[in-house]
């Protein structure tokens, strides 16, 4: 395979409703897409970096810059030997910037698989043809508003609800949702690093609500503190922001900082690293699930393929397109019986709809090899 050029395309996607977390409110998604062009096939990579460096240190403008300045320029030297694995190796000397790296590796992987006729699911080792889906519910202004939103998702068929929490919005919303929807609802919470170990007593009060897990209660670099918190509450601790590599995952498991891991391919530098974390967790008997970053249909297709691997034993944040977008740039992913189908076509098995993609494009740049 030989790459002839890469298009960097920025799109602006309005959200159907603002999405509030402990680190900010988002009402539109500014997304960087990569189109990797070869004479025989094209591949798409979606960068999950957000507009501002609040979830992690990466942000979309920074990702575009590092891609243009450092990451993409390593590819021409690979010549005909370019592959996702070769790209991962070539990018390794550059520190951090995992979301930018993931977008490039994914674009190359998509082109490579479209060329060989293999799907992402088959390449990664999917064991199912559909995956059960959860949904992430933002922080709301009131409990009645939250109950109505959760009720809507339950009616749509979501098999698991995740509530975003922060200090001042934790026990009351969790109690209200438990009381309204009953003990059988699969329920979990995500703090996005909003607490400190000094909040251990407050967090332990969540134990009575029989949550599947609490996601990232403490700061990204607080592995030791998460291990201490795990001894002071019975709700399983799941890490998201803290896990940027298979080495981080191994350290977290060794320390007892997590008993469940959220795998987000963008956060860890790509689908190859995500698969390695999955394999490590399977070897240790640790459940994993697939997180999300408000992806379009392109990123969603790859996430759904990953979520079909055998170690993904908990429902992921792999919701339908309409959870966030009135109009997706691909054929929308639609929930059926609480599940999404794993695409079966070559590569991502889905492509952007040209008219829709053009209508949301804010800029485009062609990098010729
Ligand atoms: O912490 O999982 C998170 C969205 C943006 C950044 C971080 C997170 C999230 C979500 C929503 O919880 C995931 C999704 O539905 O795509
Ligand atoms: Mg999270």
């Amino acid at each position: 395979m030989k790459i002839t050029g890469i298009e960097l395309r920025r799109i602006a996607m309005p959200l159907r409703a603002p999405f509030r977390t402990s680190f900010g409110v988002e009402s539109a998604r500014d997304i960087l897409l990569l189109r990797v062009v070869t004479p025989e096939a094209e591949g798409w990579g979606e960068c999950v970096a957000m507009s501002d460096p609040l979830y992690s240190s990466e942000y979309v403008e920074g990702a575009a810059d590092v891609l243009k300045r450092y990451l993409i320029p390593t590819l021409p030297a690979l010549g005909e030997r370019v592959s996702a694995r070769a790209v991962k190796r070539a990018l390794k000397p550059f520190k951090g910037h995992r979301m930018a790296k993931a977008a490039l590796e994914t674009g190359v992987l998509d082109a490579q698989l479209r060329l060989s006729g293999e799907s992402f699911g088959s390449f990664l080792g999917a064991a199912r043809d559909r995956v059960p889906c959860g949904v992430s519910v933002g922080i709301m202004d009131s409990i009645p508003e939250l109950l109505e939103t959760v009720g809507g998702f339950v009616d749509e068929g979501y098999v698991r609800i995740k509530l975003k929490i922060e200090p001042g919005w934790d026990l009351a919303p969790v109690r209200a949702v438990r009381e309204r929807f009953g003990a059988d609802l699969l329920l979990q919470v995500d703090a996005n690093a909003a607490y400190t170990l000094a909040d251990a007593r407050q967090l332990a009060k969540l134990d009575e609500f029989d949550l599947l897990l609490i996601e990232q209660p403490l700061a990204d670099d607080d592995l030791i503190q998460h291990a201490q918190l795990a001894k002071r509450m019975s709700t399983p601790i799941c890490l998201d922001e803290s896990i940027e590599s298979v080495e981080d995952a191994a350290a977290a498991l060794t320390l007892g900082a997590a008993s469940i891991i959220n795998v987000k391919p963008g956060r860890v530098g790509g689908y190859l690293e995500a698969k390695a974390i999955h394999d490590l967790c399977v070897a240790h008997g640790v459940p994993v699930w697939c997180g999300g970053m408000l992806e379009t249909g392109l990123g969603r297709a790859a996430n759904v393929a990953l979520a079909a691997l055998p170690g993904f034993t908990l429902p992921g944040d792999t919701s339908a397109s309409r959870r966030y977008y009135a109009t997706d740039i691909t054929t929308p992913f639609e929930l059926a019986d609480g599940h999404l189908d794993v695409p079966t076509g070559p590569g991502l098995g889905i492509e952007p709809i040209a008219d829709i993609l053009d209508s949301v494009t804010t800029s485009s740049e062609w990098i010729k090899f």
Side-chain angles (χ1 to χ4, degrees):
M1 187 167 89
K2 181 144 175 52
I3 298 173
T4 47
I6 294 182
E7 183 193 10
L8 296 182
R9 199 186 262 253
R10 287 281 278 280
I11 61 173
M13 299 279 285
L15 297 182
R16 287 182 57 221
F19 183 64
R20 181 170 154 206
T21 64
S22 62
F23 62 82
V25 190
E26 207 79 12
S27 47
R29 194 82 171 82
D30 174 8
I31 300 173
L32 172 66
L33 299 177
L34 267 68
R35 184 170 62 98
V36 175
V37 179
T38 77
E40 305 87 5
E42 287 185 4
W44 289 93
E46 175 170 342
C47 183
V48 301
M50 304 186 86
S51 305
D52 304 308
L54 299 174
Y55 163 76
S56 74
S57 64
E58 292 190 77
Y59 60 103
V60 65
E61 196 65 44
D65 186 77
V66 78
L67 277 158
K68 283 187 276 190
R69 202 181 292 272
Y70 297 104
L71 307 184
I72 291 174
T74 64
L75 265 53
L78 300 176
E80 306 257 344
R81 292 190 185 286
V82 67
S83 67
R85 212 157 282 286
V87 169
K88 184 173 169 51
R89 222 176 297 121
L91 302 184
K92 198 166 167 55
F94 301 106
K95 304 227 170 162
H97 299 285
R98 295 178 196 273
M99 293 175 178
K101 291 176 176 178
L104 184 53
E105 184 192 289
T106 305
V108 170
L109 180 57
D110 186 29
Q112 170 189 332
L113 294 178
R114 285 184 203 259
L115 195 58
S116 67
E118 187 176 18
S119 69
F120 258 66
S122 159
F123 174 82
L124 293 171
R128 288 166 287 189
D129 55 14
R130 56 175 210 157
V131 298
C133 299
V135 62
S136 176
V137 182
I139 294 167
M140 307 258 154
D141 290 332
S142 71
I143 302 276
E145 191 191 345
L146 175 70
L147 292 176
E148 191 180 316
T149 304
V150 171
F153 289 134
V154 169
D155 291 346
E156 281 183 57
Y158 285 103
V159 304
R160 183 227 69 193
I161 300 290
K162 159 169 140 184
L163 303 181
K164 291 292 196 179
I165 59 167
E166 65 182 3
W169 181 265
D170 43 32
L171 293 181
V174 170
R175 176 178 292 113
V177 168
R178 249 305 165 242
E179 278 173 5
R180 170 71 65 91
F181 300 97
D184 289 345
L185 179 75
L186 298 184
L187 186 62
Q188 64 192 53
V189 294
D190 184 359
N192 287 112
Y195 296 85
T196 71
L197 196 53
D199 299 309
R201 251 131 81 77
Q202 173 76 0
L203 291 169
K205 292 181 187 157
L206 289 167
D207 287 344
E208 68 171 289
F209 300 110
D210 195 25
L211 301 175
L212 285 171
L213 58 90
I214 178 170
E215 185 178 344
Q216 197 71 41
L218 312 180
D220 306 18
D221 53 2
D222 277 0
L223 281 189
I224 304 285
Q225 289 89 332
H226 277 106
Q228 287 170 338
L229 179 62
K231 294 195 187 118
R232 292 164 67 172
M233 67 190 299
S234 60
T235 304
I237 292 179
C238 169
L239 290 177
D240 172 354
E241 284 91 329
S242 293
I243 308 299
E244 296 191 338
S245 64
V246 70
E247 291 82 7
D248 286 349
L253 299 181
T254 301
L255 289 170
S259 51
I260 299 173
I261 288 179
N262 164 329
V263 182
K264 281 183 192 168
R267 193 192 66 225
V268 304
Y271 287 85
L272 300 177
E273 190 76 11
K275 157 100 168 138
I277 294 173
H278 162 273
D279 295 350
L280 173 87
C281 289
V282 168
H284 288 260
V286 168
V288 295
W289 57 280
C290 183
M293 292 291 289
L294 287 67
E295 285 90 347
T296 72
L298 294 172
R300 207 161 287 280
N303 285 351
V304 168
L306 180 72
L309 268 63
F312 285 77
T313 53
L314 291 167
D317 284 343
T318 49
S319 38
S321 296
R322 61 166 278 116
R323 158 70 184 92
Y324 292 112
Y325 303 114
T327 309
D328 205 336
I329 56 169
T330 63
T331 307
F333 277 88
E334 283 170 4
L335 217 57
D337 186 27
H339 290 66
L340 290 186
D341 288 335
V342 179
T344 54
L348 295 174
I350 196 165
E351 39 282 314
I353 299 163
D355 293 353
I356 299 179
L357 181 61
D358 286 344
S359 72
V360 295
T361 296
T362 53
S363 70
S364 163
E365 190 173 337
W366 175 247
I367 299 167
K368 194 178 178 320
F369 276 33

